Structure formats: C-alpha cells, structure tokens
Amino acid sequence: MLKVWGCIWSYVERYGNTDELKSVVKKFHQVGIRVLGDAVINHRCAHYQNQNGIWNIFGGLLNWDDRAVVGDDPHFQGRGNKSSGDNFHAAPNIDHSQEFVRKDLCEWLCWLRKEIGYDGWRLDYVRGFWGGYVKEYMEASEPYFSVGEYWDSLSYTYGEMDHNQDAHRQRIVDWINDTNGTCGAFDVTTKGILHSAIERCEYWRLSDSKGKPPGVVGWWPSRAVTFIENHDTGSTQGHWRFPGGKEMQGYAYILTHPGTPSVFYDHMFSHYKSEISALISLRKRNKIQCRSTVKIVKAERDVYAAIVDEKVAVKIGPGHYEPESGSQKWSLAVQGNDYKVWEAS
C-alpha cells in the first residue's frame, strides 16, 4: 500500500483563516489525499512577557502561564519540571509532565481532527519530549497516520561516516517504542546512509552486518517513514541536501523498499516527475508495502542490488547488475541515471 498524504503547516494566521484551511483540507479529501497537520508541541512562542521581560506567558485557547514551560532551560525561566528530552532553545519548551498541558493538547488535537479535518500528524522535534506522552496524544486523537521527526546526528569518526549506525537507529526505534508503536518516525538513518553511499560511491554501506537494510527500515519497517529530502534538508533552507543530480537513485531505493516512502514536493513537481510517477506506479502495481521483504544480493563499492517480495528487483549505482532469470523472468520496467528496476513476469 502506498500512503498518499499532504502536510499542511499550522501557521493559519499568516497564510489564511480557519475557513480557508478547512476548505483546502476538504479539497485534498475530494481527490483522495489524506492530510497531516504539522503539530509543533515541543515548544511554543509566547504571547506575553513575565515580570522579568521573559517571553513565557501564553494566550489564545491554550492560555498557559510559566508552569507550562520546563524548568531546566535557562533562557525562559519556566516553573515546570525538567525536560523529558532535549531542549530547543529558540522558543519556550513545553512541560508535558503537567496534567493540564496534556489535557489541553489532547483537546486541541481532537479539535483539529474534528473541526479542521486533519487525518493525522507530523510531529515536530520529538527529541524534546518523552514518547510516552505521544502515546497519550495519539490515543486521544486517533489519527489515521502519524510520524515524528526524531532528527539527530549520525556517527562519524574523524569526519568519516561510520559503517555501523545501529546506535543512531536504536535511538529512533526507542522513541517509537516509547509511543507503544502508535507513531512512526522519519528514517533519518536511511537518509544519511543513502546520502553518503551515493555521494561517495560506497554502496556497501547499504547493507548492515546481518545483511539487512541499515536504517530504521531494517529493524521496524512498518514504522519507518523513508525520505531523501524535506523542507529542512533541502528547498530554501538546504541544511543537508541530497547529492545533486543523484536524487533518482534515492527514490529508486525508497520507492521499491519497505517502509512508508515520502516524496518531497520540490522533486514531485520538477523534471523528475515522470520518473518518480513511474516508480510509484510500479510500487502500487506490485503491492510493495511497509512490511515487504528485502533480499540484498549486492552491496559493493559501486553497486547495490536487492529483490523485494520476489516481485521487484532494483539496482542503484554505476556498477553492473542484472537479476538472474530462472523460474522467474524479469522485465526492465523503469530506468534512469545509474538505476534500474525490474518486475517479475
């Protein structure tokens, strides 16, 4: 199954009013696209200053005082408990251990589901709070689909990316486990390894020590949301751009492999559109889904190849690979710059 969803940012006041937001969500639903709201619940910009001139008092529907701000971030003088994760110093970090905070957030998420029509959530900066709180929010709002952004640095030694990234993906898997599996996570591990493998022509990186995909998708594929680029890494911000001109190798990988692949808007409406569309059609046609099985048949310096569900064969990299024809016959379905994908016939 290929999940089709769009993510609408929650800055309603800047881009329009509530009625216009509800209208655009309805339009998406009319063409079969489910809509995720970008819920930023780790931190929140304050409306008012306290007696010391610190911005930590909130207005609006969630009119919290400084008890809602964690007490261990020196920038915002919160009176709450210590943070259950990493602090994001650009804005007051919300203390999710407070019962009134969780109650209000549950009501707000349910309102967004019912009134606006959101189908689920993209949760921003989930490193900042314990995944157990996410479980409570997911059980209250009952999303169709949700994904958390757990983004931290991969492992490097003297500037070189380590082959073994188990510690990195373990942190993401631990967070998903804390949510009791109620929320998936962006597979930052796969993004980083793909990025390095393709950029440096080191395709051996795409197999872990047990011959499995080396990202979250190799351990918990049903909760791994794979991607090669997003609004932070690419687009106008460009914090960690995928190797230029090689994006289709990345899409050949994530659109043929398990997990829930995410196609970046900028790429979908670029000169890559026809190739991406062909890969999406192939995925749907062969019923590749988040729990599909992967058999890695090559992971060498200049080529990676795998067979998925015994239905699809894929190779990326400049090196040579052709699937063996025996009881199965293979036909080339999609190809482009340094990638090919075959279907079993």
Side-chain angles (χ1 to χ4, degrees):
M1 177 181 178
L2 180 73
K3 288 186 174 69
V4 180
W5 46 269
C7 191
I8 293 182
W9 298 88
S10 300
Y11 304 115
V12 180
E13 296 87 352
R14 179 175 297 180
Y15 296 114
N17 58 41
T18 302
D19 287 339
E20 288 171 325
L21 178 60
K22 291 162 67 173
S23 177
V24 75
V25 169
K26 184 178 179 180
K27 291 290 186 183
F28 275 116
H29 287 164
Q30 288 172 348
V31 294
I33 297 177
R34 297 181 189 266
V35 180
L36 305 187
D38 186 39
V40 183
I41 58 177
N42 172 73
H43 47 275
R44 182 184 177 196
C45 292
H47 296 74
Y48 311 107
Q49 296 168 290
N50 68 3
Q51 66 274 16
N52 300 321
I54 301 299
W55 294 88
N56 63 8
I57 308 298
F58 305 96
L61 291 175
L62 308 183
N63 55 343
W64 302 327
D65 60 19
D66 53 6
R67 292 174 301 152
V69 179
V70 298
D72 57 346
D73 184 344
H75 296 82
F76 295 105
Q77 298 180 3
R79 290 193 295 128
N81 297 310
K82 288 185 177 181
S83 176
S84 57
D86 298 328
N87 280 325
F88 182 80
H89 296 301
N93 286 250
I94 300 305
D95 179 12
H96 294 261
S97 72
Q98 303 283 4
E99 186 175 353
F100 74 90
V101 167
R102 299 198 307 278
K103 177 178 178 293
D104 285 352
L105 285 176
C106 285
E107 290 179 356
W108 177 65
L109 291 171
C110 288
W111 179 84
L112 289 172
R113 288 274 281 129
K114 181 178 179 180
E115 186 68 20
I116 305 300
Y118 285 135
D119 300 287
W121 317 114
R122 177 236 182 225
L123 299 177
D124 185 71
Y125 200 80
V126 297
R127 278 173 49 196
F129 54 102
W130 178 48
Y133 299 132
V134 173
K135 176 179 181 291
E136 184 174 345
Y137 304 143
M138 296 304 100
E139 289 177 345
S141 60
E142 298 181 329
Y144 166 78
F145 183 76
S146 59
V147 55
E149 182 212 20
Y150 195 104
W151 180 9
D152 66 356
S153 179
L154 282 79
S155 301
Y156 295 84
T157 302
Y158 302 117
E160 297 283 335
M161 180 183 285
D162 297 338
H163 180 211
N164 187 330
Q165 296 292 337
D166 286 356
H168 185 271
R169 61 175 166 174
Q170 186 65 62
R171 291 193 292 274
I172 299 175
V173 165
D174 287 346
W175 181 84
I176 299 171
N177 196 53
D178 286 341
T179 77
N180 200 34
T182 59
C183 187
F186 287 110
D187 193 347
V188 181
T189 319
T190 289
K191 147 76 172 172
I193 294 171
L194 259 179
H195 187 122
S196 186
I198 291 172
E199 182 177 53
R200 301 169 62 90
C201 197
E202 295 175 343
Y203 293 85
W204 47 266
R205 293 183 178 275
L206 293 172
S207 178
D208 69 11
S209 61
K210 295 183 179 180
K212 300 290 186 181
V216 177
V217 75
W219 281 359
W220 203 341
S222 67
R223 293 296 178 266
V225 177
T226 52
F227 71 105
I228 69 166
E229 205 85 288
N230 63 29
H231 64 283
D232 287 315
T233 68
S235 195
T236 57
Q237 297 195 83
H239 293 310
W240 190 21
R241 290 191 192 281
F242 203 77
K246 299 182 179 181
E247 290 88 354
M248 283 311 306
Q249 287 189 61
Y251 282 120
Y253 183 93
I254 68 171
L255 288 171
T256 59
H257 278 56
T260 301
S262 173
V263 176
F264 188 39
Y265 181 94
D266 289 19
H267 294 157
M268 189 68 233
F269 295 96
S270 71
H271 61 283
Y272 295 134
K273 181 176 181 178
S274 61
E275 290 180 80
I276 291 173
S277 297
L279 287 169
I280 291 173
S281 295
L282 179 141
R283 183 182 182 89
K284 293 172 69 175
R285 189 164 62 244
N286 288 278
K287 296 182 171 58
I288 303 300
Q289 39 90 6
C290 63
R291 294 182 176 86
S292 289
T293 60
V294 180
K295 179 185 177 183
I296 298 173
V297 293
K298 263 193 177 184
E300 300 174 358
R301 182 190 64 82
D302 62 350
V303 63
Y304 166 87
I307 296 175
V308 181
D309 283 350
E310 301 296 328
K311 298 176 181 177
V312 170
V314 57
K315 91 83 183 180
I316 62 174
H320 176 75
Y321 169 77
E322 296 277 342
E324 295 182 2
S325 291
S327 57
Q328 284 179 314
K329 303 295 183 183
W330 296 94
S331 58
L332 184 61
V334 186
Q335 64 178 322
N337 184 26
D338 285 340
Y339 78 90
K340 290 183 178 181
V341 184
W342 297 261
E343 291 177 284
S345 55

